[in-house]
Amino acid sequence: MIRAGLGPHRNCDQPLAWLADRLARQDSRGHELREPGMEEMIDIAALRSSVADVLAKECDLEAVVRHTAHNTGPLMPLWATASALGWMALAIPEQHGGLGLDVDALVPVYEELGRRAAPLPYLTTMLAADCLGRMAPPDRQAEWLPRIAAGDIATLSAPLPVTPACLTLRKQGDHIVLAGEAPDLVDARDAAMILVTAIDEGGVTWRVLIES
């Protein structure tokens, strides 16, 4: 179901757009210049240790090999644990059920998941959440972001110009029809929300959210 066109495609949709802002907030020695906030209340080392402990118990090499030998999707028991522990809520704004941390707070989670080759759609879900937070109108953010914070899986197609828009939007009576194929969608089979890029009849590029 197409719920809404989030808005014309913009550069802020780039997955690494936050990097430029981060570099702009560093001093000459590369140290971050930041205002006191929630990050100072979170022990990043403790977060890393907690994530590592969970993965050691639920995602050792044997578990990964056993799972990937018969499945291509996420390790759902581990995803349920991650949801219960609030990993998906780290960078979601507080008003939408998250902790409101900077994207930097996700780094130890990414690193520990990569260290274990954990079969979880964490990166795609967090990138989709970031895109929604930047582009969706407030009422849609209030609808969708709490679901991601609570554990819904989301994914998105690569932004322009990495991947050309292969989908089209056109009016058909009172409806808007989305047509075409979206290649290289990661974790789409298990996603509750999918963000794709489409071009309308006027040549404007849009991000569109599909609920699956």
Side-chain angles (χ1 to χ4, degrees), residues 31-66:
H31 296 154
E32 187 104 16
L33 302 174
R34 61 202 311 169
E35 296 295 326
M38 181 65 79
E39 288 86 353
E40 280 65 46
M41 300 172 60
I42 298 294
D43 187 333
I44 297 300
L47 172 62
R48 179 187 298 277
S49 178
S50 173
V51 172
D53 287 346
V54 170
L55 295 177
K57 295 175 183 176
E58 299 193 27
C59 191
D60 59 15
L61 179 59
E62 182 180 347
V64 172
V65 171
R66 184 170 59 248

Side-chain angles (χ1 to χ4, degrees), residues 122-139:
Y122 190 75
L123 176 61
T124 53
T125 297
M126 293 297 95
L127 289 176
D130 182 68
C131 181
L132 288 170
R134 293 170 182 268
M135 300 190 70
D139 60 331

Side-chain angles (χ1 to χ4, degrees), residues 92 127 143 148:
I92 301 291
L127 289 176
E143 177 182 357
I148 293 177

Side-chain angles (χ1 to χ4, degrees), residues 13-205:
D13 187 42
Q14 297 282 357
L16 296 181
W18 60 271
L19 182 58
D21 177 65
R22 179 182 176 187
L23 291 174
R25 291 184 283 114
Q26 289 181 349
D27 62 20
S28 60
R29 293 176 296 176
H31 296 154
E32 187 104 16
L33 302 174
R34 61 202 311 169
E35 296 295 326
M38 181 65 79
E39 288 86 353
E40 280 65 46
M41 300 172 60
I42 298 294
D43 187 333
I44 297 300
L47 172 62
R48 179 187 298 277
S49 178
S50 173
V51 172
D53 287 346
V54 170
L55 295 177
K57 295 175 183 176
E58 299 193 27
C59 191
D60 59 15
L61 179 59
E62 182 180 347
V64 172
V65 171
R66 184 170 59 248
H67 176 77
T68 55
H70 304 288
N71 299 276
T72 57
L75 183 58
M76 291 310 297
L78 178 59
W79 185 259
T81 298
S83 299
L85 293 175
W87 296 1
M88 274 62 81
L90 289 171
I92 301 291
E94 292 180 82
Q95 65 268 31
H96 298 312
L99 294 178
L101 301 182
D102 190 85
V103 178
D104 292 355
L106 301 177
V107 171
V109 185
Y110 289 144
E111 290 181 342
E112 294 304 319
L113 290 173
R115 200 184 311 279
R116 292 282 181 175
L120 292 185
Y122 190 75
L123 176 61
T124 53
T125 297
M126 293 297 95
L127 289 176
D130 182 68
C131 181
L132 288 170
R134 293 170 182 268
M135 300 190 70
D139 60 331
R140 295 305 187 184
Q141 291 186 35
E143 177 182 357
W144 293 324
L145 289 178
R147 292 174 51 188
I148 293 177
D152 269 9
I153 295 172
T155 190
L156 74 171
S157 59
L160 299 176
V162 177
T163 299
C166 298
L167 301 176
T168 60
L169 288 170
R170 59 182 175 83
K171 290 185 178 180
Q172 183 173 302
D174 295 331
H175 302 282
I176 296 178
V177 177
L178 178 68
E181 295 184 1
D184 303 324
L185 276 173
V186 180
D187 302 315
R189 188 189 69 178
D190 301 284
M193 291 173 275
I194 302 172
L195 283 166
V196 295
T197 305
I199 299 178
D200 67 16
E201 295 169 300
V204 178
T205 304

